[in-house]
Amino acid sequence: VQLQASGGGLVQPGGSLRLSCTASGFTLDSYAIGWFRQAPGKEREGVSCISASDGSTYYAESVEGRFTISRDNAKRAVYLQMNSLKSEDTAVYYCGVRRVFGTPTMYCSINGISGPSDFGSWGQGTQVTVSS
């Protein structure tokens, strides 16, 4: 199973984009889903996570107050609304399923966004470029 991120594009600083995360043959609504991003020459970093247990959300400090993660179980999708975009948000964005000991879980880490090694089912990401 692989997740598919979409919705990226080119946007000016201060603009907005909404990314979508979907999967075929897999129900996202039962699992915690995380958004990550990777800029050229940098490691993949966590952006946000949403649990499936109670909808709890977690954000990286760099995006707190600008990005909002949400899920629509009817559409089997998780979204990342990105507002007030900055040039440093430029990266390829990926979504993944959180796992504990290799098993998908409904919980995000209580300590915040755990590292990419705690997530799986990565698919192709979507490029977000913030530039004037």
Side-chain angles (χ1 to χ4, degrees):
V1 176
Q2 285 188 324
L3 304 188
Q4 180 65 48
S6 62
L10 173 64
V11 63
Q12 292 185 341
S16 299
L17 280 175
R18 189 179 80 156
L19 305 184
S20 299
C21 177
T22 58
S24 58
F26 184 76
T27 303
L28 296 183
D29 55 354
S30 299
Y31 306 109
I33 303 297
W35 281 100
F36 286 74
R37 64 188 181 186
Q38 189 165 16
K42 295 187 177 181
E43 295 184 351
R44 190 169 297 190
E45 64 171 352
V47 174
S48 185
C49 185
I50 184 167
S51 74
S53 56
D54 59 1
S56 296
T57 58
Y58 303 86
Y59 298 93
E61 188 174 330
S62 59
V63 306
E64 184 84 52
R66 299 188 297 122
F67 290 11
T68 302
I69 191 171
S70 63
R71 64 195 316 150
D72 185 333
N73 290 338
K75 295 184 177 180
R76 297 186 176 183
V78 172
Y79 304 103
L80 185 68
Q81 177 67 43
M82 306 186 297
N83 298 329
S84 302
L85 283 162
K86 306 175 181 180
S87 58
E88 50 263 45
D89 295 319
T90 295
V92 178
Y93 284 70
Y94 302 87
C95 55
V97 178
R98 186 161 186 267
R99 301 170 186 265
V100 175
F101 300 117
T103 301
T105 176
M106 66 171 63
Y107 304 105
C108 297
S109 170
I110 60 173
N111 297 317
I113 306 168
S114 51
S117 61
D118 286 347
F119 289 77
S121 299
W122 305 108
Q124 284 189 331
T126 186
Q127 176 71 48
V128 172
T129 302
V130 184
S131 176
S132 56

